[in-house]
């Protein structure tokens, strides 16, 4: 069998989004369509996930209403079944060859009905949607089933359920059953909607091989508050796990005549690599793209092993190589390469062909001169954001040229930045040359996406990996030869046992490690293995046969991409036959969804492919409104609020142009209303007169921007008057909606008091009778160690920018957990075992992992806690003195070995008596050094912005 692409697994995402809506008519009330039951049952048996989503609804209106059923599922998943039960009659979805369903599909598209039936909705998801008219008092049951093989990504399998019912549900339940015969070594959960109060609805049980996670909130637990009928259940629920492994790395599992062989050996050293980074610097990369590319490349260069060799090729119309040959990844060379990377500027055309041939020539030259270390691995990583425009521009010719030049010697990985590049072109280019393609989404975390991809290929473990089984024992085996195995991934081979197969199935896996042949032997008792999978609670029937079919189809679809025209027909025929036989909706099949007589004609489910233009309309990044209900909502503020409170609580108003926000229009009803807002009266000095916060009432007015509905951007404080704003013009986005609109206030905006600010740090000192200590940074050069406690296994570092008087980043490292939490003004990045996750400030988070609980509330306070450690908090404070802040709790748990800029204050601290002539000054002696402390008024950033005034002893460092 031909060598195929390396196993470089991506984390699997299973996402559920259920949304039931009704037409917005004058008579339709919010919950005319009532979801009275919503269940998600996901059974993961030996990495193969079988998920069933069931929703039961009733129309409580006295007229017919439309119910829309939406489920988001991973792009790699195959829908296997869908049905609707209406008035006791089942309306199934029938899977057919795409050509046979083409007429119905074309008619549906012409009617405009099927375009949204299945569409891409994000980086990893597709959305399934079906609508049906529901008679008064009638009930409908929707059920969708989909399946996917979980792939190992940087050491874990990941299963994610996104739940968004948008109403309270009487019976809401998620059950996740995991069965892994190898044993579960790590199990973690994470949620964006769980709170400490809602955590009681979550139960987790686990033994050696099984885990059961259940989320079953009551109606009262789902409510945001006793007065509100809105649900708090809105967001992601994630399960991550891994299994036990041995040095042999192999596990053969058998069920109902089929087998699967998982291979991910532990303890192997990484193979040195020779890597050429080919970077697009054409004009289309200008701005944030090239900035993020430089940022990512600098971090990637830092991750190179001293045993590696590397070079950089940048291209636009012209092609530039950093050095004439490969360079060792010494500390000196890496620093020089980082300096070169920082100077890369974007301009000109796109000469992909020339750049790729230059990269191959660099490796060929090193190979001819015998400068490539024996047994090393050679990789080319291409990053581009557009189609070729200079030199050879025919994609087929470029693919032919590159494949001919590489000649099977090196592996090529292609990264497409954004949606202006042909993904199909890059995918074939990579698969033709033993690599894979990946899309990099334009977003604030693009640099992290690039780094994450590099981590997947950073540590090759084996080359030329081959699986062998006795020919009299197995048949119809999936891909059994792989070019590369990377650390953190897993190879999977499945097949069928012959009728007269031996009682023991043996397997041999061979590969090369640093020019040495290495062999792994594995055996499995057939009868013993069959017994493992007989628990109906955890297993669905014939799951391993379906796993085999799923894996075979996915590999055939991949082979079709790089196959010749003569080979494609046979591959497509086999993939189609398996898709129909096992009822999978794949790119070769369609599902016809039937509906009751009298409603619109049948709809057709088609699986999108990665390069379809529909992706170009997908918001690639964070949508500030995504967690709010869509529709016509009033933009309102209520009650009498002070200017200072309003400014600082929003964290945006500065000077006369105050709030900068994402605006998409106003209601007709809102335009006709005027109101006045009570602001603090500020004197010439900018300080408020008095503390009541009351001042003159400043009239402001609405101006219509567009007919689009507005999204609620402020808390509903309970008073029915509108706060009008003057909307200035702003550029329109691709959707025709103005974005980044300035909301100005007519009249003069009072200035904030400049004298009282939040200090960089407020420290609670254990065992001291004095007030808290406020620490100001007045002298800083480079990164500083704020806290280091080897007994606690924790270190906190940060970079303070003196000119801006704020931290550009703060990082908390838990050495025993191999976990880092890095906070910047933009977001929080959590990295564990080379795997990074990005979280925006004020996105709620509730994560439980061995040895640590991580939570973030709606105010943006991130807490890192465990029973025996100091609790560390991180916050992006948007009050006066805006910036990153550090909070500490349970400081009595620091050991006697704590040190650092802040840690020193948790050693022996001696307060000298106050000065006789001025009791607002005293001396603080820390480890033999004296610090002057002055009693000052500061803002407590631990309180909601704008913070509460506190009196503390202030120390300057």
């Amino acid at each position: 069998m031909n060598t195929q692409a390396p196993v470089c697994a991506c984390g699997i995402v299973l996402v559920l989004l259920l949304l039931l809506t009704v037409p917005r008519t004058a008579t339709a009330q919010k919950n005319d369509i009532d979801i009275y039951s919503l269940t998600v049952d996901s059974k993961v048996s030996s990495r193969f996930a079988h998920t069933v989503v069931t929703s039961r609804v009733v129309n409580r209106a006295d007229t017919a209403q439309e119910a829309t059923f939406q489920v988001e599922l991973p792009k790699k998943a195959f829908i296997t079944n869908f049905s609707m039960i209406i008035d006791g009659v089942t309306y199934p979805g029938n899977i057919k060859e795409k050509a046979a369903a083409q007429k119905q599909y074309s008619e549906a598209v012409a009617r405009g009905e099927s375009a949204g039936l299945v569409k891409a909705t994000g980086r990893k998801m597709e959305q399934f949607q079906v609508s049906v008219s529901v008679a008064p008092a009638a009930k409908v049951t929707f059920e969708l089933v989909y399946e996917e093989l979980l792939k190992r990504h940087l050491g874990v399998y990941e299963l994610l359920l996104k739940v968004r019912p948008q109403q309270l549900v009487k019976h809401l339940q998620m059950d996740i059953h995991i069965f892994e015969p190898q044993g579960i070594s790590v199990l973690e959960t994470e949620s964006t909607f769980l709170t400490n109060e809602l955590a009681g609805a979550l139960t987790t049980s686990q033994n050696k091989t099984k885990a059961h996670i259940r989320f079953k909130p009551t109606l009262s637990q789902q409510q945001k508050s006793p007065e509100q009928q809105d649900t708090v259940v809105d967001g992601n629920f994630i399960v991550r796990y891994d299994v036990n492994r041995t040095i042999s790395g192999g596990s053969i599992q058998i069920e109902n005549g089929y087998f699967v062989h998982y291979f991910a050996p532990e303890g192997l050293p990484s193979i040195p690599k020779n890597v050429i980074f080919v970077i697009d610097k054409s004009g289309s990369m200008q701005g944030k793209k090239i900035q993020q590319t430089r940022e990512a490349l600098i971090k990637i260069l830092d991750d190179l092993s001293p045993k590696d060799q590397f070079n950089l090729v940048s291209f636009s119309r012209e092609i530039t190589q950093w050095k004439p040959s490969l360079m060792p990844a010494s500390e000196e060379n890496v620093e020089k390469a980082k300096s070169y990377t920082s100077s890369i500027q974007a301009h000109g055309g796109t000469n992909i062909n020339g750049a790729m041939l230059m990269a191959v020539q660099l490796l060929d030259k090193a190979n001819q001169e015998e400068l490539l270390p024996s047994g090393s691995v050679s990789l080319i990583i291409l990053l581009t954001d557009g189609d070729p425009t200079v030199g050879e521009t025919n994609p087929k010719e470029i693919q032919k040229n590159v494949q001919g030049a590489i000649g099977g010697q090196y592996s090529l990985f292609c990264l497409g930045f954004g949606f202006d590049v042909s993904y199909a072109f890059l995918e074939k280019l990579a698969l033709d040359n033993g690599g894979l393609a990946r899309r990099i989404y334009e977003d604030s975390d693009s640099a992290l996406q690039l780094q994450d991809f590099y981590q997947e290929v950073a540590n090759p473990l084996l080359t030329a990996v081959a699986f062998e089984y006795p020919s009299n024992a197995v048949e119809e085996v999936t891909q059994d030869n792989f070019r590369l195995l990377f650390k953190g991934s897993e190879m999977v081979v499945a097949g069928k046992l012959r009728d007269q197969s031996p009682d023991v199935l043996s397997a041999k896996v061979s590969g090369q490690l640093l020019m040495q042949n290495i062999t792994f032997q594995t055996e499995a008792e057939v009868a013993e293995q069959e017994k493992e999978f007989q628990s109906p609670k955890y297993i669905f029937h014939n799951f391993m046969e379906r796993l085999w079919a799923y894996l075979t189809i996915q590999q055939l679809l991949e082979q079709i991409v790089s196959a010749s025209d003569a080979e494609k027909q046979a591959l497509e025929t086999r993939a189609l036959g398996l898709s129909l036989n096992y009822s999978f909706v794949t790119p070769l099949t369609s599902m016809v969804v039937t509906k009751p007589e009298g409603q619109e004609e049948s709809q057709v489910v088609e699986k999108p492919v990665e390069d379809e233009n529909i992706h170009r309309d997908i918001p690639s990044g964070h949508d500030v409104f995504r967690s709010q209900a869509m529709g016509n909502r009033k933009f309102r503020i209520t009650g009498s609020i002070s200017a200072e409170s309003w400014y600082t609580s929003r964290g945006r108003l500065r000077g006369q142009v105050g709030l900068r926000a994402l605006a998409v229009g106003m209601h007709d009803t809102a335009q006709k209303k005027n109101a006045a807002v009570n602001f603090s009266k500020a004197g010439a000095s900018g300080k408020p007169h008095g503390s009541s916060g009351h001042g003159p009432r400043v009239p402001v007015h609405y101006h219509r921007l567009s007919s689009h509905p507005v999204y609620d951007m402020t808390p509903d404080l309970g008073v029915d008057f509108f706060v009008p704003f003057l909307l200035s013009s702003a550029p329109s986005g691709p959707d025709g909606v103005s974005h980044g609109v300035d909301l100005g206030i007519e009249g003069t905006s009072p200035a904030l008091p400049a004298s009282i600010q939040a200090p960089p740090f407020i420290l609670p000192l254990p065992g001291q009778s004095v007030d808290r200590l406020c620490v100001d940074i007045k002298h800083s050069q480079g990164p500083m160690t704020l806290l280091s406690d080897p007994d606690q296994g924790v270190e906190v570092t940060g970079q303070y920018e003196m000119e801006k008087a704020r931290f550009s980043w703060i990082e908390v490292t838990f050495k025993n957990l191999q976990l880092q939490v890095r906070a910047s003004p933009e977001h929080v990045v959590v990295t564990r075992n080379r795997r990074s996750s990005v979280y925006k400030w004020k996105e709620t988070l509730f994560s439980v992992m061995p040895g640590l609980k991580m939570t973030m509330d709606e105010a943006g306070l991130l807490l890192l806690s465990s029973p025996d450690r100091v609790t560390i908090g991180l916050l992006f404070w948007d009050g006066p003195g805006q910036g990153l802040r550090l909070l500490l709790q349970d400081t009595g748990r620091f050991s006697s070995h704590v040190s650092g800029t802040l840690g020193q204050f948790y050693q022996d601290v001696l307060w000298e008596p106050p000065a006789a002539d001025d009791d607002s000054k005293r001396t603080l002696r820390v480890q033999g050094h004296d610090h002057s402390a002055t009693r000052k008024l500061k803002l407590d950033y631990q309180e909601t912005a704008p913070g509460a005034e506190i009196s503390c002893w202030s120390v300057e460092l």
Side-chain angles (χ1 to χ4, degrees):
M1 184 178 291
N2 293 332
T3 299
Q4 299 294 327
V7 173
C8 184
C10 308
I12 179 60
V13 183
L14 293 177
V15 184
L16 164 73
L17 166 62
L18 186 126
L19 172 65
L20 285 142
T21 60
V22 296
R24 291 191 183 118
T25 64
T27 58
Q29 300 303 312
K30 181 176 181 180
N31 286 341
D32 284 346
I33 295 293
D34 179 24
I35 312 171
Y36 63 89
S37 175
L38 169 60
T39 62
V40 183
D41 186 77
S42 189
K43 291 183 171 66
V44 183
S45 305
S46 189
R47 283 70 142 186
F48 194 62
H50 173 92
T51 301
V52 182
V53 182
T54 306
S55 176
R56 294 177 171 85
V57 306
V58 60
N59 179 9
R60 301 197 184 280
D62 54 6
T63 58
Q65 300 292 322
E66 185 178 71
T68 299
F69 174 72
Q70 291 180 354
V71 174
E72 288 192 20
L73 61 152
K75 291 178 180 178
K76 290 289 186 180
F78 291 155
I79 293 172
T80 66
N81 188 42
F82 171 74
S83 65
M84 296 182 293
I85 302 175
I86 306 174
D87 291 331
V89 179
T90 299
Y91 298 88
N94 300 309
I95 296 176
K96 300 180 178 181
E97 181 181 355
K98 180 172 284 189
Q102 188 60 47
K103 182 179 178 181
Q104 289 172 285
Y105 176 73
S106 300
E107 291 174 351
V109 170
R111 295 192 304 269
E113 292 170 1
S114 71
L117 205 59
V118 177
K119 61 183 179 181
T121 56
R123 299 180 184 181
K124 300 177 181 179
M125 289 88 77
E126 295 168 354
Q127 182 188 88
F128 172 87
Q129 174 176 307
V130 169
S131 299
V132 65
S133 180
V134 185
K139 294 182 178 180
V140 179
T141 297
F142 299 97
E143 183 176 278
L144 181 75
V145 183
Y146 56 90
E147 295 174 345
E148 182 169 8
L149 179 64
L150 305 187
K151 290 186 177 180
R152 193 168 182 244
H153 171 69
L154 294 174
V156 295
Y157 309 96
E158 182 176 281
L159 184 145
L160 184 154
L161 300 169
K162 184 174 180 180
V163 188
R164 193 183 181 192
Q166 292 200 328
Q167 61 175 262
L168 301 178
V169 179
K170 184 177 181 180
H171 177 218
L172 175 60
Q173 183 170 330
M174 290 191 299
D175 284 284
I176 301 163
H177 295 275
I178 301 172
F179 176 54
E180 291 291 349
Q182 286 176 254
I184 299 170
S185 61
V186 175
L187 182 67
E188 303 172 3
T189 60
E190 176 183 313
S191 172
T192 60
F193 59 82
L194 273 180
T195 61
N196 285 318
E197 294 74 24
L198 194 58
L202 177 68
T203 58
T204 301
S205 59
Q206 178 187 352
N207 60 24
K208 182 180 178 181
T209 59
K210 299 176 183 178
H212 178 205
I213 299 159
R214 170 172 289 178
F215 177 66
K216 189 178 181 181
T218 63
L219 280 171
S220 60
Q221 286 176 315
Q222 295 173 49
Q223 285 181 265
K224 286 187 175 179
S225 69
E227 297 79 23
Q228 292 180 296
Q229 293 300 304
D230 292 333
T231 178
V232 72
V233 180
D234 185 352
N236 299 338
F237 184 81
I238 304 169
V239 178
R240 297 187 184 97
Y241 77 94
D242 198 17
V243 300
N244 296 318
R245 301 178 194 280
T246 62
I247 188 65
S248 68
S251 173
I252 297 177
Q253 297 164 27
I254 300 168
E255 189 256 346
N256 202 33
Y258 285 81
F259 79 93
V260 62
H261 185 177
Y262 295 107
F263 181 70
E266 290 287 287
L268 295 181
S270 295
I271 299 174
K273 58 186 181 294
N274 317 296
V275 57
I276 308 289
F277 299 99
V278 184
I279 306 301
D280 185 344
K281 61 172 184 178
S282 61
S284 57
M285 287 284 289
Q286 281 185 347
K288 198 167 186 178
K289 283 184 185 177
I290 198 68
Q291 176 188 336
Q292 291 175 320
T293 299
R294 290 193 298 257
E295 176 188 338
L297 199 49
I298 286 170
K299 287 191 165 68
I300 288 169
L301 290 169
D302 271 332
D303 286 338
L304 288 171
S305 166
K307 297 179 181 179
D308 295 338
Q309 296 189 106
F310 74 105
N311 204 339
L312 304 169
V313 174
S314 57
F315 69 95
S316 53
R317 174 176 290 274
E318 305 299 328
I319 305 161
T320 306
Q321 56 187 25
W322 171 56
K323 297 289 183 182
S325 59
L326 284 155
M327 302 296 291
S330 64
E331 186 175 344
E332 180 183 0
N333 287 337
V334 166
E335 287 304 314
K336 288 179 180 178
K338 287 162 63 177
S339 178
Y340 171 81
T341 298
S342 299
S343 68
I344 295 176
Q345 301 296 324
H347 58 85
T350 308
N351 189 350
I352 294 177
N353 187 73
M356 288 303 306
L357 295 183
M358 178 177 284
V360 176
Q361 288 166 9
L362 283 168
L363 288 172
D364 283 346
K365 178 185 175 185
N367 200 13
Q368 291 162 8
E369 296 175 356
E370 298 184 351
L371 297 177
L372 300 182
S374 298
S376 61
V377 171
S378 297
L379 311 175
I380 300 173
I381 299 177
L382 166 68
L383 171 67
T384 182
D385 77 329
D387 296 333
T389 61
V390 176
E392 179 58 69
T393 58
N394 185 319
K396 289 187 177 180
E397 286 300 314
I398 295 174
Q399 290 163 347
K400 179 182 176 182
N401 293 343
V402 172
Q403 186 175 18
I406 288 179
Q409 299 179 85
Y410 320 123
S411 294
L412 170 61
F413 299 89
C414 297
L415 304 177
F417 205 144
F419 287 98
D420 292 327
V421 64
S422 169
Y423 186 83
F425 163 65
L426 293 182
E427 184 179 38
K428 179 171 172 55
L429 194 63
L431 292 175
D432 282 348
N433 297 284
L436 54 83
R438 179 74 53 79
R439 192 185 296 282
I440 302 299
Y441 293 82
E442 293 184 59
D443 203 349
S444 62
D445 70 337
S446 296
L448 285 163
Q449 294 177 53
L450 290 167
Q451 295 167 50
D452 186 67
F453 169 80
Y454 174 74
Q455 288 299 332
E456 293 181 43
V457 300
N459 295 284
L461 300 180
L462 289 172
T463 63
V465 182
F467 291 70
E468 295 180 42
Y469 307 94
S471 58
N472 66 333
V474 300
E475 59 184 346
E476 299 188 61
V477 176
T478 60
Q479 178 184 334
D480 56 7
N481 282 266
F482 303 86
R483 181 176 290 194
L484 288 168
L485 171 68
F486 293 104
K487 184 177 180 179
S489 67
E490 181 177 63
M491 290 178 172
V492 186
V493 178
K496 184 178 181 181
L497 297 181
R498 292 186 181 274
D499 292 338
Q500 303 299 322
S501 63
D503 294 335
V504 176
L505 177 60
S506 61
K508 181 173 74 172
V509 183
S510 59
Q512 286 196 329
L513 173 61
L514 299 173
M515 290 300 290
Q516 293 183 341
N517 293 325
I518 184 169
T519 302
F520 301 85
Q521 297 279 357
T522 306
E523 290 186 345
E525 296 276 353
V526 175
E528 184 178 317
Q529 285 288 319
E530 291 273 12
K531 291 179 182 178
E532 288 271 13
F533 298 98
Q534 291 180 355
S535 171
K537 185 177 181 181
Y538 282 81
I539 305 304
F540 54 97
H541 185 57
N542 288 348
F543 87 91
M544 201 163 288
E545 181 178 355
R546 298 190 64 80
L547 183 160
W548 165 81
Y550 171 92
L551 184 61
T552 301
I553 294 169
Q554 289 284 19
Q555 291 177 355
L556 288 169
L557 293 173
E558 192 173 87
Q559 291 168 29
I560 288 169
V561 173
S562 55
S564 65
D565 292 338
E567 296 170 328
K568 280 184 180 179
Q569 184 59 52
L571 294 171
E572 288 180 355
T573 300
R574 188 174 179 220
L576 173 61
L578 288 169
S579 299
L580 293 172
N581 191 37
Y582 290 93
S583 297
F584 286 134
V585 178
T586 71
L588 302 174
T589 57
S590 301
M591 175 186 282
V592 178
V593 177
T594 58
K595 294 191 175 183
E597 187 177 351
Q599 297 199 28
E600 62 185 41
E601 296 180 34
S602 301
Q603 292 180 294
V604 180
V605 178
E606 298 254 295
K607 187 170 182 64
V609 295
E610 177 63 31
D611 207 46
E612 287 182 348
N613 287 334
I614 188 171
H615 288 273
R616 301 180 187 271
D617 299 323
I618 301 168
S620 61
H622 173 73
D623 181 349
V624 70
F625 299 117
R626 74 179 184 184
S627 65
Q628 298 190 13
M630 298 296 202
N632 296 326
R633 298 185 63 182
K634 300 175 182 178
F635 184 100
R636 61 179 181 174
I637 302 178
T638 57
S640 255
I641 58 173
S642 69
E644 180 181 340
S645 173
W646 166 245
Y647 289 150
T648 55
S649 66
R650 300 307 301 156
R652 296 289 186 273
L653 288 175
R654 295 290 184 270
Q656 289 189 340
V657 176
L659 178 64
R660 187 164 180 81
L662 207 69
V664 288
M666 299 293 173
H667 286 301
D668 290 338
T669 55
Q671 301 165 46
K672 300 186 175 88
K673 293 182 180 283
N674 294 319
V677 184
N678 217 350
F679 291 113
S680 299
K681 183 177 180 180
S685 66
K687 297 181 180 180
H689 298 296
S691 59
S692 66
H694 298 296
R697 298 169 67 81
V698 184
V700 285
H701 307 282
Y702 266 128
H703 290 254
R704 182 178 179 84
L705 175 68
S706 74
S707 60
H708 294 282
V710 69
Y711 300 126
D712 192 356
M713 298 171 60
T714 60
D716 189 349
L717 304 178
V719 179
D720 289 323
F721 67 85
F722 287 88
V723 178
F725 290 96
L726 176 64
L727 299 183
S728 62
S729 62
S732 295
D735 52 2
V737 176
S738 293
H739 297 282
V741 176
D742 281 323
L743 301 179
I745 300 180
E746 295 183 26
T748 303
S749 299
L752 290 169
S755 57
I756 302 179
Q757 299 270 321
F761 304 107
I762 300 175
L763 302 182
L765 299 181
Q768 300 293 333
S769 59
V770 297
D771 297 80
R772 287 174 291 183
L773 187 68
C774 294
V775 179
D776 284 298
I777 305 295
K778 296 299 182 182
H779 307 284
S780 173
Q781 289 185 348
M784 62 173 65
T785 300
L786 302 174
L787 290 167
S788 180
D789 190 336
D791 294 11
Q792 290 266 311
V794 65
E795 182 177 74
V796 182
T797 55
Q799 174 82 55
Y800 193 79
E801 300 176 277
M802 294 301 301
E803 64 278 8
K804 296 182 180 179
R806 69 177 191 181
F807 278 93
S808 56
W809 56 265
I810 297 176
E811 183 172 281
V812 183
T813 301
F814 295 94
K815 296 184 178 180
N816 298 337
L817 302 177
Q818 295 185 314
L819 183 142
Q820 295 84 37
V821 179
R822 187 181 181 94
S824 69
E826 294 76 31
H827 49 229
V828 177
V829 179
V830 179
T831 303
R832 188 176 189 191
N833 296 328
R834 305 177 296 120
R835 184 184 72 255
S836 296
S837 300
V838 184
Y839 306 96
K840 299 290 180 68
W841 291 108
K842 301 187 180 181
E843 283 187 346
T844 54
L845 174 68
F846 191 95
S847 177
V848 179
M849 61 190 75
L852 187 70
K853 183 169 82 169
M854 182 167 53
T855 63
M856 188 191 299
D857 61 21
E858 292 180 344
L861 174 58
L862 179 70
L863 288 178
L864 310 168
S865 61
S866 65
D868 54 351
R869 285 194 182 94
V870 174
T871 295
I872 297 175
L874 295 169
L875 173 72
F876 181 73
W877 166 255
D878 54 9
Q882 184 184 71
L884 295 171
R885 293 295 189 272
L886 181 73
L887 298 88
L888 299 173
Q889 299 174 9
D890 308 313
T891 54
R893 294 174 179 168
F894 277 126
S895 75
S896 59
H897 300 110
V898 64
S899 61
T901 303
L902 305 181
Q904 62 179 325
F905 294 105
Y906 294 95
Q907 291 284 8
D908 294 329
V909 176
L910 178 64
W911 287 93
E912 299 291 344
D917 58 340
D918 188 353
D919 61 1
S920 68
K921 297 182 182 296
R922 63 192 305 180
T923 299
L924 177 63
R925 176 162 293 181
V926 181
Q927 295 181 320
H929 299 281
D930 289 345
H931 299 276
S932 296
T934 305
R935 175 72 73 177
K936 291 183 178 180
L937 284 178
K938 296 286 185 179
L939 285 180
D940 186 356
Y941 55 76
Q942 298 173 100
E943 301 288 338
T944 304
E949 289 185 11
I950 59 170
S951 175
C952 65
W953 290 103
S954 181
V955 173
E956 294 182 355
L957 299 178

